[in-house]
Amino acid sequence: MNKNAKRFTREHLLYLKKARTRNILVHLTQVGILVLLLAIWELAAHLGWIDAFIMSCPSKIWSTLLELSAGGTLWYHAGISTLETLAGFVIGTTMGYVAAVILWWNNFLKDVFEPYVVVLNSLPKIALGPIIIIWVGTGKAAIITMAVLISVVITTITVLNGFMETDKDKAVLLRSMGANRMQIFTKLVAPSNVPTLMATLKINVGMSWIGSIMGEYLASKEGLGYLLVYGSQVFRLDVVMTCTIVLCALAGIMYALVTMLEKIVARVFHFE
């Protein structure tokens, strides 16, 4: 091995070591900030700086978490919400991607329907809640429909914009070589927009949870949204805060899984 190669190896190892150290420092700082905020919150409740009945506190939330977990109530409702969210996430993303492909494929359809898609995106989806209940009834069908409506429009707009921004010079080159519409899509447009799809999946994690919880607010007797409404109605703010924290944890886990998928796909398609 020559000197330049050895030098490159040492510098690369040093860079990797610094990157690992930085990542550890970032994670420790994140945990430290969380612990500090929880400590301040607990202290403020004990010293009377805030009303523990209204604001709750970490110790009360922990007790409520144990109470709800003991009978399986919390995990039953969390499981229901997770399944509804996953269904809305998968269906909404799939439908949105297919819609984007259709609109990209046919410019006439794109010009006709693009304004409608924009208007649907601007419309507060909760306003459609009563209509959804009448159309599909109460229960899981209405909740999944709400989650789908929120994620499908976002997916369509985001993915379609990615398709339209694909390098036009490369598309022209493929056409000059005799490529048809299908070949341009499979060889250029779809692969080029894998990062766009991954970014859309990350967005849809939050959108799907919003849709399912909104649906549970309106038409459900189970799920974390139902527990949130129940807790507020009986003035159990500790239940409300506990459900909120569980929601954050579940959404974080789902986001982490999508991030892991993105890393796997990045290695396959060689993008960063």
Side-chain angles (χ1 to χ4, degrees), residues 109-136:
L109 291 179
K110 182 180 76 69
D111 293 339
V112 170
F113 287 104
E114 194 170 26
Y116 293 100
V117 175
V118 173
V119 171
L120 283 175
N121 186 50
S122 304
L123 176 69
K125 306 307 181 295
I126 196 168
L128 299 175
I131 299 174
I132 292 172
I133 293 171
I134 293 172
W135 284 351
V136 301

Side-chain angles (χ1 to χ4, degrees), residues 39-132:
I40 293 173
W41 186 6
E42 184 72 24
L43 181 65
H46 279 285
L47 295 179
W49 298 344
I50 60 174
D51 189 336
F53 176 76
I54 296 176
M55 301 293 293
S56 192
C57 63
S59 59
K60 278 191 173 185
I61 293 172
W62 178 250
S63 299
T64 305
L65 181 63
L66 295 178
E67 173 193 339
L68 294 175
S69 300
T73 302
L74 180 62
W75 307 121
Y76 169 76
H77 290 288
I80 294 295
S81 294
T82 301
L83 290 175
E84 292 165 348
T85 302
L86 287 174
F89 175 80
V90 173
I91 296 171
T93 302
T94 303
M95 290 177 61
Y97 190 86
V98 171
V101 172
I102 293 171
L103 294 178
W104 171 85
W105 199 282
N106 191 308
N107 286 325
F108 177 78
L109 291 179
K110 182 180 76 69
D111 293 339
V112 170
F113 287 104
E114 194 170 26
Y116 293 100
V117 175
V118 173
V119 171
L120 283 175
N121 186 50
S122 304
L123 176 69
K125 306 307 181 295
I126 196 168
L128 299 175
I131 299 174
I132 292 172

Side-chain angles (χ1 to χ4, degrees), residues 191-210:
S192 299
N193 283 278
V194 171
T196 302
L197 177 59
M198 292 297 104
T200 304
L201 291 178
K202 290 182 177 180
I203 295 171
N204 281 352
V205 169
M207 294 296 101
S208 299
W209 276 107
I210 290 172

